Amino acid sequence: MNFRFIIVLSWFFITGCVSNYLISDIELQARNHMTAAESKQESLHIVDAIKEYTLIYKKYPDTSYLKPAVWKLALLNIHPDNPDINYISAQDWLQIYLSLHLSSQEEETALILALLIQQTNLIQIEKEKLESHIKQQKNEINTLTEKSERAKSNISRTKNKLNTCEAQLSILKESSAVLNNKLQKLKEIDVQMHKTRKQNSVSPLKSN
């Protein structure tokens, strides 16, 4: 009876150790991908960094690296060095981030970023519409200029439309610059938060 009891205890001990090993191994793998992603981000290989962070989200959702990886994905999709800036994708990643267990400060920062991205996206769409409209107006002006003097009145009206569009575009560019400045400040907050997390992760090691 005692021998069986010892065997049972040994079995729980062994399986417990294996479980802890597997968890640690998964965390280690996730950390390696996180390190690779951060390295690629620092060297401005944004697309490759996004791939690494996405891999963490897909393969290591139960690790401590999920939340920072998702946050980085939201930021990198609107990074100025990203050749494929995607505001919709950034908003999608923010929604995923907001579904995670967040502190009040993290949630507040994410909500502010979501609002800024939404406003920036709307301005970007309006800018593209105006730029397209301006191009059309310029082409129309060139066509009208080649016509007879009877088209002068039409050219004058078209120029007025062009001036109005360019004035609106100038205002939108100023608004975009203000929003980009706010986004930069949020990026600085993220860097500081990263440093704080890094310091907090190092502190327990020092205490040991």
Side-chain angles (χ1 to χ4, degrees), residues 6 8 11 25 44-45 58 67 89 108 121 140-141:
I6 292 173
V8 171
W11 172 252
D25 185 57
L44 298 182
H45 294 137
K58 291 181 177 179
K67 186 164 64 173
S89 182
E108 182 180 358
N121 187 38
E140 187 177 345
I141 288 173

Side-chain angles (χ1 to χ4, degrees), residues 30-180:
R31 186 184 69 182
N32 290 339
H33 285 292
M34 193 73 179
T35 301
E38 290 173 344
S39 176
K40 291 174 181 178
Q41 180 182 342
E42 289 174 1
S43 60
L44 298 182
H45 294 137
I46 305 302
V47 175
D48 292 334
I50 287 176
K51 290 179 181 178
E52 287 288 345
Y53 287 125
T54 303
L55 188 146
I56 294 172
Y57 169 74
K58 291 181 177 179
K59 293 188 65 176
Y60 307 100
D62 298 322
T63 66
S64 61
Y65 297 96
L66 174 66
K67 186 164 64 173
V70 173
W71 175 252
K72 291 290 186 179
L73 283 166
L75 289 177
L76 290 185
N77 270 279
I78 56 172
H79 194 285
D81 292 308
N82 186 348
D84 301 313
I85 289 178
N86 191 327
Y87 293 99
I88 302 301
S89 182
Q91 288 175 320
D92 290 342
W93 283 115
L94 270 179
Q95 289 304 313
I96 294 174
Y97 182 76
L98 286 167
S99 69
L100 304 176
H101 182 67
L102 306 176
S103 66
S104 58
Q105 182 180 359
E106 288 172 334
E107 182 176 3
E108 182 180 358
T109 301
L111 289 173
I112 293 173
L113 179 59
L115 179 59
L116 290 174
I117 289 176
Q118 182 182 23
Q119 292 176 342
T120 303
N121 187 38
L122 292 174
I123 288 178
Q124 183 66 27
I125 292 173
E126 191 63 25
K127 280 172 61 181
E128 290 175 358
K129 288 181 180 179
L130 285 170
E131 287 169 349
S132 176
H133 189 56
I134 287 171
K135 184 177 180 180
Q136 292 175 0
Q137 295 297 328
K138 287 182 177 180
N139 291 335
E140 187 177 345
I141 288 173
N142 292 333
T143 300
L144 291 172
T145 303
E146 294 173 357
K147 292 182 178 181
S148 66
E149 290 297 319
R150 291 177 297 178
K152 287 184 178 180
S153 59
N154 291 333
I155 294 174
S156 178
R157 286 195 297 268
T158 304
K159 284 184 176 180
N160 288 336
K161 291 180 181 179
L162 174 61
N163 291 335
T164 300
C165 288
E166 288 179 332
Q168 292 175 351
L169 179 60
S170 177
I171 293 172
L172 287 174
K173 284 182 176 179
E174 292 178 1
S175 298
S176 179
V178 172
L179 289 173
N180 285 334

